[in-house]
């Protein structure tokens, strides 16, 4: 078993990194849903307006996570080198 993991180390590492980025995007999506729920429940509560990247729905990311997101994020805006807008398809 361990020999197989050693042979497939790059594949395993790649899968873990992709999963980490996917999970970050899911957490950002949950934050967006929370923001929308607050807006519905408390319309007078001041919320920010505009178009935000998925990263802006999370606490500040470490340099390592930023590098993973840059490498493994497959959003159309990221592929074009632009700022990411909140385009999060259903991950679940």
């Amino acid at each position: 078993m361990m020999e197989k993991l050693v042979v497939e180390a790059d594949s395993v590492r790649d899968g873990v990194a992709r999963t980490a980025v996917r999970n970050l995007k899911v957490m950002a999506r949950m934050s967006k849903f929370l923001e929308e729920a607050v807006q519905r429940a408390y319309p007078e509560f001041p919320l920010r307006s505009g178009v935000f990247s998925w990263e802006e729905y999370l606490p500040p990311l470490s340099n390592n996570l930023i590098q993973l997101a840059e490498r493994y994020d497959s959003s159309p805006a990221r592929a074009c080198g632009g700022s990411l807008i909140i385009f999060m398809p259903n991950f679940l």
Side-chain angles (χ1 to χ4, degrees):
M1 178 68 165
M2 292 303 288
E3 293 84 16
K4 186 173 183 173
L5 287 175
V6 169
V7 170
E8 297 178 5
D10 290 336
S11 175
V12 170
R13 191 176 296 114
D14 184 67
V16 169
R18 288 182 191 281
T19 300
V21 172
R22 178 182 176 274
N23 288 342
L24 285 171
K25 292 176 85 171
V26 168
M27 285 185 266
R29 187 169 185 210
M30 288 186 292
S31 295
K32 175 68 175 159
F33 289 153
L34 175 62
E35 186 177 74
E36 291 169 355
V38 168
Q39 178 76 43
R40 285 189 303 274
Y42 304 100
E44 70 282 354
F45 189 82
L47 292 177
R48 60 190 182 163
S49 61
V51 178
F52 301 99
S53 70
W54 63 265
E55 294 103 330
E56 292 178 289
Y57 286 92
L58 298 171
L61 300 177
S62 69
N63 289 335
N64 288 341
L65 289 176
I66 291 170
Q67 290 171 355
L68 282 180
E70 289 172 349
R71 183 170 179 189
Y72 292 100
D73 181 23
S74 60
S75 298
R78 175 73 76 192
C80 296
S83 175
L84 289 179
I85 59 172
I86 199 72
F87 172 74
M88 290 187 277
N90 186 1
F91 292 107
L92 305 175

